[in-house]
Amino acid sequence: MEIQNPDSSDSCFPKVKSWGGIVLNQFQGFWFLPRYLLGTKQVLDHYKPLPNDVILASFPKTGTTWLKALLYSVINRASINQLVTNHPHELVPSLEMQVYGGPVANSPPHFPSNTSSSASIFSTHIPYQILGETLNSSDCRVIYVARNPKDTLISLWHFENSIYLGQKREPQPLEDIVTSFCEGSVTFGPYFDHVLGYQKESLERPEKFFFITYEELKSDPNVHVKRLAEFLGCPFVGEDMEEQVEEVVRSCSIETLKKHEVNNSSVVPSWTIVPYKSLFRKGQVGDHMNYLTNDMIEQIDAITREKFRGIDLWGEN
Ligand SMILES: Nc1ncnc2c1ncn2[C@@H]1O[C@H](COP(=O)(O)OS(=O)(=O)O)[C@@H](OP(=O)(O)O)[C@H]1O
């Protein structure tokens, strides 16, 4: 894969103009911002997962930030009193190591060395169809979070509008993102193939791939946090087990995360224009009902039924 300029789409890859005029390149059936293609290449070329690595995979806007906090908290058994998000992987923006609780800035880009015995948490939006070989090259564990496509789309729409409004651009019409989303031409899309890639693996190898929906986690966080801890090999134990779980869930709630100073005052270093606070909006299930027309809902439901073929993750199809 030859990539010359990470910000240029003048490459040999097929390209499409997505909603809002964003130009995306296609690679192995998925659509990427040119700079994420470069990051993906670096991951594929250089990242060799260690057996202890924990990789959080997700389509954008499906609960990544929430799961990052939960994974950190479960693995380190620490409540996140001073949440600090560190994105040291400027060079590999699609597979960033997330450190919560450490110093914010100036960590050099690096993958942990082979001598590291503690688990490292990585987060990626790269689809299984592209990252699978890398993930399967070690005993690392993979957590995938999926979210209802309509809420995902609305979250993405708000997010992109909030970024670009910072640059004084008009909010983009909802119709345009609905069309691009259904066609698959959004960043890291098609959404449907993204979800199905990881979901299939989780059915075949549940000991390696943990699949959860945002909605399941919302409806019963304590149960699923316990399942997550068991999957990671660090189950909650002891008489105060329920209190421990409760504390993890509380410290990772959107309400708690929103209160941290860093999440109000900093921008995500690898995305320069993105303030952390744009990662925390409502965090509600079903928010799409406040925005999408019946026709839009039918359009998205129809493609979801067609693509998911009987896999009914949200009891809707
Ligand atoms: N702790 C917690 N609990 C529940 N929900 C949360 C939490 N943190 C973030 N959010 C909501 O997740 C949406 C952002 O998704 P991601 O974190 O996947 O975004 S990103 O891909 O990392 O940019 C976005 O959803 P919407 O509110 O629907 O836009 C966030 O508000």
Side-chain angles (χ1 to χ4, degrees), residues 20-48:
I22 303 166
V23 177
L24 302 174
N25 283 136
Q26 194 182 45
F27 174 62
Q28 295 190 7
F30 288 85
W31 292 104
F32 292 81
L33 284 173
R35 59 171 52 248
Y36 288 159
L37 252 190
L38 182 70
T40 299
K41 176 177 165 35
Q42 286 171 329
V43 169
L44 297 180
D45 286 351
H46 300 296
Y47 177 54
K48 305 279 173 263

PDB file of all heavy atoms in Angstrom, residues 20-48:
ATOM      1  N   GLY A  20     -21.097  16.089   3.536  1.00  0.00           N
ATOM      2  CA  GLY A  20     -20.316  17.244   3.986  1.00  0.00           C
ATOM      3  C   GLY A  20     -19.078  17.485   3.143  1.00  0.00           C
ATOM      4  O   GLY A  20     -18.199  18.239   3.528  1.00  0.00           O
ATOM      5  N   GLY A  21     -18.995  16.789   1.985  1.00  0.00           N
ATOM      6  CA  GLY A  21     -17.862  17.019   1.088  1.00  0.00           C
ATOM      7  C   GLY A  21     -16.582  16.326   1.522  1.00  0.00           C
ATOM      8  O   GLY A  21     -15.524  16.536   0.951  1.00  0.00           O
ATOM      9  N   ILE A  22     -16.667  15.466   2.553  1.00  0.00           N
ATOM     10  CA  ILE A  22     -15.465  14.762   3.023  1.00  0.00           C
ATOM     11  C   ILE A  22     -15.051  13.716   1.975  1.00  0.00           C
ATOM     12  O   ILE A  22     -15.888  12.918   1.545  1.00  0.00           O
ATOM     13  CB  ILE A  22     -15.752  14.043   4.369  1.00  0.00           C
ATOM     14  CG1 ILE A  22     -16.235  15.040   5.421  1.00  0.00           C
ATOM     15  CG2 ILE A  22     -14.528  13.277   4.862  1.00  0.00           C
ATOM     16  CD1 ILE A  22     -16.852  14.381   6.665  1.00  0.00           C
ATOM     17  N   VAL A  23     -13.788  13.759   1.573  1.00  0.00           N
ATOM     18  CA  VAL A  23     -13.318  12.797   0.575  1.00  0.00           C
ATOM     19  C   VAL A  23     -12.694  11.595   1.287  1.00  0.00           C
ATOM     20  O   VAL A  23     -11.842  11.748   2.163  1.00  0.00           O
ATOM     21  CB  VAL A  23     -12.304  13.443  -0.391  1.00  0.00           C
ATOM     22  CG1 VAL A  23     -11.770  12.405  -1.384  1.00  0.00           C
ATOM     23  CG2 VAL A  23     -12.971  14.586  -1.146  1.00  0.00           C
ATOM     24  N   LEU A  24     -13.141  10.416   0.917  1.00  0.00           N
ATOM     25  CA  LEU A  24     -12.649   9.187   1.550  1.00  0.00           C
ATOM     26  C   LEU A  24     -12.002   8.284   0.507  1.00  0.00           C
ATOM     27  O   LEU A  24     -12.401   8.292  -0.665  1.00  0.00           O
ATOM     28  CB  LEU A  24     -13.822   8.422   2.195  1.00  0.00           C
ATOM     29  CG  LEU A  24     -14.646   9.172   3.243  1.00  0.00           C
ATOM     30  CD1 LEU A  24     -15.846   8.329   3.669  1.00  0.00           C
ATOM     31  CD2 LEU A  24     -13.785   9.525   4.454  1.00  0.00           C
ATOM     32  N   ASN A  25     -11.015   7.542   0.942  1.00  0.00           N
ATOM     33  CA  ASN A  25     -10.371   6.541   0.080  1.00  0.00           C
ATOM     34  C   ASN A  25     -10.832   5.156   0.484  1.00  0.00           C
ATOM     35  O   ASN A  25     -11.034   4.878   1.670  1.00  0.00           O
ATOM     36  CB  ASN A  25      -8.846   6.588   0.228  1.00  0.00           C
ATOM     37  CG  ASN A  25      -8.246   7.757  -0.525  1.00  0.00           C
ATOM     38  OD1 ASN A  25      -7.383   8.448  -0.021  1.00  0.00           O
ATOM     39  ND2 ASN A  25      -8.700   7.975  -1.732  1.00  0.00           N
ATOM     40  N   GLN A  26     -10.945   4.293  -0.518  1.00  0.00           N
ATOM     41  CA  GLN A  26     -11.362   2.917  -0.223  1.00  0.00           C
ATOM     42  C   GLN A  26     -10.145   1.994  -0.157  1.00  0.00           C
ATOM     43  O   GLN A  26      -9.263   2.059  -1.005  1.00  0.00           O
ATOM     44  CB  GLN A  26     -12.301   2.414  -1.310  1.00  0.00           C
ATOM     45  CG  GLN A  26     -13.025   1.148  -0.908  1.00  0.00           C
ATOM     46  CD  GLN A  26     -13.916   0.647  -2.020  1.00  0.00           C
ATOM     47  OE1 GLN A  26     -13.507   0.610  -3.171  1.00  0.00           O
ATOM     48  NE2 GLN A  26     -15.135   0.268  -1.667  1.00  0.00           N
ATOM     49  N   PHE A  27     -10.124   1.182   0.882  1.00  0.00           N
ATOM     50  CA  PHE A  27      -9.057   0.191   1.029  1.00  0.00           C
ATOM     51  C   PHE A  27      -9.680  -1.098   1.543  1.00  0.00           C
ATOM     52  O   PHE A  27     -10.356  -1.086   2.580  1.00  0.00           O
ATOM     53  CB  PHE A  27      -7.995   0.721   2.004  1.00  0.00           C
ATOM     54  CG  PHE A  27      -6.931  -0.285   2.345  1.00  0.00           C
ATOM     55  CD1 PHE A  27      -6.097  -0.803   1.359  1.00  0.00           C
ATOM     56  CD2 PHE A  27      -6.769  -0.724   3.655  1.00  0.00           C
ATOM     57  CE1 PHE A  27      -5.123  -1.742   1.670  1.00  0.00           C
ATOM     58  CE2 PHE A  27      -5.790  -1.657   3.975  1.00  0.00           C
ATOM     59  CZ  PHE A  27      -4.970  -2.171   2.980  1.00  0.00           C
ATOM     60  N   GLN A  28      -9.465  -2.169   0.822  1.00  0.00           N
ATOM     61  CA  GLN A  28     -10.006  -3.484   1.169  1.00  0.00           C
ATOM     62  C   GLN A  28     -11.483  -3.428   1.566  1.00  0.00           C
ATOM     63  O   GLN A  28     -11.908  -3.984   2.573  1.00  0.00           O
ATOM     64  CB  GLN A  28      -9.169  -4.119   2.276  1.00  0.00           C
ATOM     65  CG  GLN A  28      -7.753  -4.420   1.798  1.00  0.00           C
ATOM     66  CD  GLN A  28      -6.955  -5.256   2.776  1.00  0.00           C
ATOM     67  OE1 GLN A  28      -7.472  -5.746   3.784  1.00  0.00           O
ATOM     68  NE2 GLN A  28      -5.672  -5.432   2.504  1.00  0.00           N
ATOM     69  N   GLY A  29     -12.236  -2.686   0.785  1.00  0.00           N
ATOM     70  CA  GLY A  29     -13.691  -2.665   0.964  1.00  0.00           C
ATOM     71  C   GLY A  29     -14.208  -1.686   1.999  1.00  0.00           C
ATOM     72  O   GLY A  29     -15.414  -1.607   2.235  1.00  0.00           O
ATOM     73  N   PHE A  30     -13.313  -0.927   2.642  1.00  0.00           N
ATOM     74  CA  PHE A  30     -13.754   0.046   3.657  1.00  0.00           C
ATOM     75  C   PHE A  30     -13.280   1.452   3.285  1.00  0.00           C
ATOM     76  O   PHE A  30     -12.299   1.610   2.545  1.00  0.00           O
ATOM     77  CB  PHE A  30     -13.217  -0.349   5.041  1.00  0.00           C
ATOM     78  CG  PHE A  30     -13.914  -1.574   5.591  1.00  0.00           C
ATOM     79  CD1 PHE A  30     -13.489  -2.841   5.247  1.00  0.00           C
ATOM     80  CD2 PHE A  30     -15.027  -1.447   6.421  1.00  0.00           C
ATOM     81  CE1 PHE A  30     -14.146  -3.971   5.724  1.00  0.00           C
ATOM     82  CE2 PHE A  30     -15.691  -2.565   6.906  1.00  0.00           C
ATOM     83  CZ  PHE A  30     -15.244  -3.831   6.559  1.00  0.00           C
ATOM     84  N   TRP A  31     -13.978   2.448   3.822  1.00  0.00           N
ATOM     85  CA  TRP A  31     -13.691   3.850   3.484  1.00  0.00           C
ATOM     86  C   TRP A  31     -12.916   4.526   4.606  1.00  0.00           C
ATOM     87  O   TRP A  31     -13.295   4.420   5.781  1.00  0.00           O
ATOM     88  CB  TRP A  31     -14.993   4.608   3.227  1.00  0.00           C
ATOM     89  CG  TRP A  31     -15.675   4.136   1.978  1.00  0.00           C
ATOM     90  CD1 TRP A  31     -16.765   3.325   1.890  1.00  0.00           C
ATOM     91  CD2 TRP A  31     -15.291   4.427   0.630  1.00  0.00           C
ATOM     92  NE1 TRP A  31     -17.085   3.089   0.584  1.00  0.00           N
ATOM     93  CE2 TRP A  31     -16.203   3.758  -0.217  1.00  0.00           C
ATOM     94  CE3 TRP A  31     -14.267   5.199   0.044  1.00  0.00           C
ATOM     95  CZ2 TRP A  31     -16.128   3.832  -1.610  1.00  0.00           C
ATOM     96  CZ3 TRP A  31     -14.192   5.264  -1.348  1.00  0.00           C
ATOM     97  CH2 TRP A  31     -15.112   4.591  -2.154  1.00  0.00           C
ATOM     98  N   PHE A  32     -11.872   5.227   4.238  1.00  0.00           N
ATOM     99  CA  PHE A  32     -10.975   5.856   5.210  1.00  0.00           C
ATOM    100  C   PHE A  32     -10.722   7.316   4.845  1.00  0.00           C
ATOM    101  O   PHE A  32     -10.574   7.642   3.656  1.00  0.00           O
ATOM    102  CB  PHE A  32      -9.596   5.183   5.195  1.00  0.00           C
ATOM    103  CG  PHE A  32      -9.583   3.777   5.711  1.00  0.00           C
ATOM    104  CD1 PHE A  32      -9.961   2.720   4.892  1.00  0.00           C
ATOM    105  CD2 PHE A  32      -9.178   3.505   7.012  1.00  0.00           C
ATOM    106  CE1 PHE A  32      -9.935   1.413   5.375  1.00  0.00           C
ATOM    107  CE2 PHE A  32      -9.158   2.202   7.490  1.00  0.00           C
ATOM    108  CZ  PHE A  32      -9.537   1.158   6.673  1.00  0.00           C
ATOM    109  N   LEU A  33     -10.585   8.148   5.867  1.00  0.00           N
ATOM    110  CA  LEU A  33      -9.952   9.439   5.638  1.00  0.00           C
ATOM    111  C   LEU A  33      -8.506   9.119   5.254  1.00  0.00           C
ATOM    112  O   LEU A  33      -7.911   8.191   5.831  1.00  0.00           O
ATOM    113  CB  LEU A  33      -9.945  10.270   6.921  1.00  0.00           C
ATOM    114  CG  LEU A  33     -11.259  10.919   7.337  1.00  0.00           C
ATOM    115  CD1 LEU A  33     -11.097  11.544   8.723  1.00  0.00           C
ATOM    116  CD2 LEU A  33     -11.698  11.962   6.326  1.00  0.00           C
ATOM    117  N   PRO A  34      -7.925   9.856   4.316  1.00  0.00           N
ATOM    118  CA  PRO A  34      -6.550   9.535   3.890  1.00  0.00           C
ATOM    119  C   PRO A  34      -5.586   9.392   5.066  1.00  0.00           C
ATOM    120  O   PRO A  34      -4.747   8.490   5.093  1.00  0.00           O
ATOM    121  CB  PRO A  34      -6.182  10.708   2.990  1.00  0.00           C
ATOM    122  CG  PRO A  34      -7.491  11.171   2.436  1.00  0.00           C
ATOM    123  CD  PRO A  34      -8.511  10.955   3.517  1.00  0.00           C
ATOM    124  N   ARG A  35      -5.711  10.247   6.085  1.00  0.00           N
ATOM    125  CA  ARG A  35      -4.762  10.157   7.201  1.00  0.00           C
ATOM    126  C   ARG A  35      -4.947   8.865   8.018  1.00  0.00           C
ATOM    127  O   ARG A  35      -4.018   8.343   8.600  1.00  0.00           O
ATOM    128  CB  ARG A  35      -4.848  11.372   8.109  1.00  0.00           C
ATOM    129  CG  ARG A  35      -6.219  11.612   8.732  1.00  0.00           C
ATOM    130  CD  ARG A  35      -6.187  12.705   9.796  1.00  0.00           C
ATOM    131  NE  ARG A  35      -5.566  13.920   9.292  1.00  0.00           N
ATOM    132  CZ  ARG A  35      -4.390  14.387   9.725  1.00  0.00           C
ATOM    133  NH1 ARG A  35      -3.720  13.738  10.637  1.00  0.00           N
ATOM    134  NH2 ARG A  35      -3.911  15.496   9.245  1.00  0.00           N
ATOM    135  N   TYR A  36      -6.146   8.325   8.019  1.00  0.00           N
ATOM    136  CA  TYR A  36      -6.360   7.073   8.742  1.00  0.00           C
ATOM    137  C   TYR A  36      -5.854   5.875   7.948  1.00  0.00           C
ATOM    138  O   TYR A  36      -5.552   4.827   8.511  1.00  0.00           O
ATOM    139  CB  TYR A  36      -7.835   6.902   9.103  1.00  0.00           C
ATOM    140  CG  TYR A  36      -8.286   7.849  10.195  1.00  0.00           C
ATOM    141  CD1 TYR A  36      -9.624   8.163  10.374  1.00  0.00           C
ATOM    142  CD2 TYR A  36      -7.361   8.441  11.054  1.00  0.00           C
ATOM    143  CE1 TYR A  36     -10.033   9.033  11.371  1.00  0.00           C
ATOM    144  CE2 TYR A  36      -7.760   9.319  12.041  1.00  0.00           C
ATOM    145  CZ  TYR A  36      -9.093   9.613  12.204  1.00  0.00           C
ATOM    146  OH  TYR A  36      -9.495  10.470  13.186  1.00  0.00           O
ATOM    147  N   LEU A  37      -5.788   6.045   6.636  1.00  0.00           N
ATOM    148  CA  LEU A  37      -5.183   4.975   5.829  1.00  0.00           C
ATOM    149  C   LEU A  37      -3.708   4.851   6.171  1.00  0.00           C
ATOM    150  O   LEU A  37      -3.174   3.750   6.300  1.00  0.00           O
ATOM    151  CB  LEU A  37      -5.315   5.314   4.349  1.00  0.00           C
ATOM    152  CG  LEU A  37      -6.302   4.523   3.529  1.00  0.00           C
ATOM    153  CD1 LEU A  37      -6.125   4.828   2.053  1.00  0.00           C
ATOM    154  CD2 LEU A  37      -6.155   3.029   3.770  1.00  0.00           C
ATOM    155  N   LEU A  38      -3.073   5.988   6.340  1.00  0.00           N
ATOM    156  CA  LEU A  38      -1.654   5.977   6.702  1.00  0.00           C
ATOM    157  C   LEU A  38      -1.482   5.304   8.064  1.00  0.00           C
ATOM    158  O   LEU A  38      -0.615   4.453   8.254  1.00  0.00           O
ATOM    159  CB  LEU A  38      -1.112   7.408   6.752  1.00  0.00           C
ATOM    160  CG  LEU A  38       0.366   7.517   7.075  1.00  0.00           C
ATOM    161  CD1 LEU A  38       1.195   7.012   5.903  1.00  0.00           C
ATOM    162  CD2 LEU A  38       0.753   8.955   7.395  1.00  0.00           C
ATOM    163  N   GLY A  39      -2.332   5.678   9.020  1.00  0.00           N
ATOM    164  CA  GLY A  39      -2.267   5.064  10.346  1.00  0.00           C
ATOM    165  C   GLY A  39      -2.506   3.566  10.279  1.00  0.00           C
ATOM    166  O   GLY A  39      -1.831   2.771  10.942  1.00  0.00           O
ATOM    167  N   THR A  40      -3.446   3.177   9.445  1.00  0.00           N
ATOM    168  CA  THR A  40      -3.750   1.751   9.302  1.00  0.00           C
ATOM    169  C   THR A  40      -2.546   0.999   8.750  1.00  0.00           C
ATOM    170  O   THR A  40      -2.195  -0.090   9.223  1.00  0.00           O
ATOM    171  CB  THR A  40      -4.980   1.570   8.384  1.00  0.00           C
ATOM    172  OG1 THR A  40      -6.083   2.226   9.000  1.00  0.00           O
ATOM    173  CG2 THR A  40      -5.315   0.110   8.163  1.00  0.00           C
ATOM    174  N   LYS A  41      -1.902   1.616   7.775  1.00  0.00           N
ATOM    175  CA  LYS A  41      -0.709   0.975   7.201  1.00  0.00           C
ATOM    176  C   LYS A  41       0.362   0.789   8.279  1.00  0.00           C
ATOM    177  O   LYS A  41       0.998  -0.261   8.377  1.00  0.00           O
ATOM    178  CB  LYS A  41      -0.160   1.814   6.059  1.00  0.00           C
ATOM    179  CG  LYS A  41       1.140   1.260   5.488  1.00  0.00           C
ATOM    180  CD  LYS A  41       1.614   2.071   4.317  1.00  0.00           C
ATOM    181  CE  LYS A  41       3.059   1.790   3.932  1.00  0.00           C
ATOM    182  NZ  LYS A  41       3.506   0.428   4.101  1.00  0.00           N
ATOM    183  N   GLN A  42       0.529   1.804   9.108  1.00  0.00           N
ATOM    184  CA  GLN A  42       1.556   1.700  10.155  1.00  0.00           C
ATOM    185  C   GLN A  42       1.213   0.598  11.156  1.00  0.00           C
ATOM    186  O   GLN A  42       2.091  -0.126  11.630  1.00  0.00           O
ATOM    187  CB  GLN A  42       1.728   3.049  10.849  1.00  0.00           C
ATOM    188  CG  GLN A  42       2.466   4.018   9.943  1.00  0.00           C
ATOM    189  CD  GLN A  42       2.485   5.423  10.474  1.00  0.00           C
ATOM    190  OE1 GLN A  42       1.557   5.846  11.152  1.00  0.00           O
ATOM    191  NE2 GLN A  42       3.520   6.159  10.150  1.00  0.00           N
ATOM    192  N   VAL A  43      -0.052   0.498  11.466  1.00  0.00           N
ATOM    193  CA  VAL A  43      -0.471  -0.573  12.372  1.00  0.00           C
ATOM    194  C   VAL A  43      -0.186  -1.937  11.736  1.00  0.00           C
ATOM    195  O   VAL A  43       0.403  -2.823  12.356  1.00  0.00           O
ATOM    196  CB  VAL A  43      -1.973  -0.432  12.703  1.00  0.00           C
ATOM    197  CG1 VAL A  43      -2.477  -1.679  13.412  1.00  0.00           C
ATOM    198  CG2 VAL A  43      -2.227   0.801  13.551  1.00  0.00           C
ATOM    199  N   LEU A  44      -0.594  -2.098  10.490  1.00  0.00           N
ATOM    200  CA  LEU A  44      -0.416  -3.398   9.831  1.00  0.00           C
ATOM    201  C   LEU A  44       1.062  -3.745   9.692  1.00  0.00           C
ATOM    202  O   LEU A  44       1.457  -4.899   9.842  1.00  0.00           O
ATOM    203  CB  LEU A  44      -1.086  -3.390   8.452  1.00  0.00           C
ATOM    204  CG  LEU A  44      -2.603  -3.201   8.443  1.00  0.00           C
ATOM    205  CD1 LEU A  44      -3.132  -3.205   7.021  1.00  0.00           C
ATOM    206  CD2 LEU A  44      -3.309  -4.269   9.264  1.00  0.00           C
ATOM    207  N   ASP A  45       1.884  -2.736   9.459  1.00  0.00           N
ATOM    208  CA  ASP A  45       3.319  -2.992   9.251  1.00  0.00           C
ATOM    209  C   ASP A  45       4.071  -3.201  10.563  1.00  0.00           C
ATOM    210  O   ASP A  45       5.051  -3.940  10.602  1.00  0.00           O
ATOM    211  CB  ASP A  45       3.975  -1.818   8.512  1.00  0.00           C
ATOM    212  CG  ASP A  45       3.589  -1.794   7.049  1.00  0.00           C
ATOM    213  OD1 ASP A  45       2.960  -2.771   6.597  1.00  0.00           O
ATOM    214  OD2 ASP A  45       3.897  -0.799   6.371  1.00  0.00           O
ATOM    215  N   HIS A  46       3.656  -2.518  11.623  1.00  0.00           N
ATOM    216  CA  HIS A  46       4.517  -2.470  12.811  1.00  0.00           C
ATOM    217  C   HIS A  46       3.922  -3.048  14.086  1.00  0.00           C
ATOM    218  O   HIS A  46       4.650  -3.321  15.027  1.00  0.00           O
ATOM    219  CB  HIS A  46       4.944  -1.018  13.095  1.00  0.00           C
ATOM    220  CG  HIS A  46       5.691  -0.420  11.956  1.00  0.00           C
ATOM    221  ND1 HIS A  46       6.900  -0.896  11.548  1.00  0.00           N
ATOM    222  CD2 HIS A  46       5.380   0.602  11.126  1.00  0.00           C
ATOM    223  CE1 HIS A  46       7.321  -0.188  10.505  1.00  0.00           C
ATOM    224  NE2 HIS A  46       6.412   0.716  10.226  1.00  0.00           N
ATOM    225  N   TYR A  47       2.623  -3.164  14.169  1.00  0.00           N
ATOM    226  CA  TYR A  47       2.050  -3.594  15.444  1.00  0.00           C
ATOM    227  C   TYR A  47       2.006  -5.114  15.534  1.00  0.00           C
ATOM    228  O   TYR A  47       1.349  -5.772  14.724  1.00  0.00           O
ATOM    229  CB  TYR A  47       0.649  -3.010  15.632  1.00  0.00           C
ATOM    230  CG  TYR A  47      -0.014  -3.490  16.895  1.00  0.00           C
ATOM    231  CD1 TYR A  47       0.611  -3.348  18.132  1.00  0.00           C
ATOM    232  CD2 TYR A  47      -1.265  -4.096  16.859  1.00  0.00           C
ATOM    233  CE1 TYR A  47       0.016  -3.809  19.307  1.00  0.00           C
ATOM    234  CE2 TYR A  47      -1.874  -4.552  18.022  1.00  0.00           C
ATOM    235  CZ  TYR A  47      -1.230  -4.403  19.233  1.00  0.00           C
ATOM    236  OH  TYR A  47      -1.824  -4.854  20.385  1.00  0.00           O
ATOM    237  N   LYS A  48       2.701  -5.636  16.520  1.00  0.00           N
ATOM    238  CA  LYS A  48       2.661  -7.082  16.793  1.00  0.00           C
ATOM    239  C   LYS A  48       2.068  -7.225  18.189  1.00  0.00           C
ATOM    240  O   LYS A  48       2.747  -6.956  19.179  1.00  0.00           O
ATOM    241  CB  LYS A  48       4.069  -7.690  16.786  1.00  0.00           C
ATOM    242  CG  LYS A  48       4.847  -7.424  15.520  1.00  0.00           C
ATOM    243  CD  LYS A  48       4.453  -8.389  14.385  1.00  0.00           C
ATOM    244  CE  LYS A  48       5.104  -8.008  13.069  1.00  0.00           C
ATOM    245  NZ  LYS A  48       4.260  -7.207  12.166  1.00  0.00           N
TER     246      LYS A  48
END
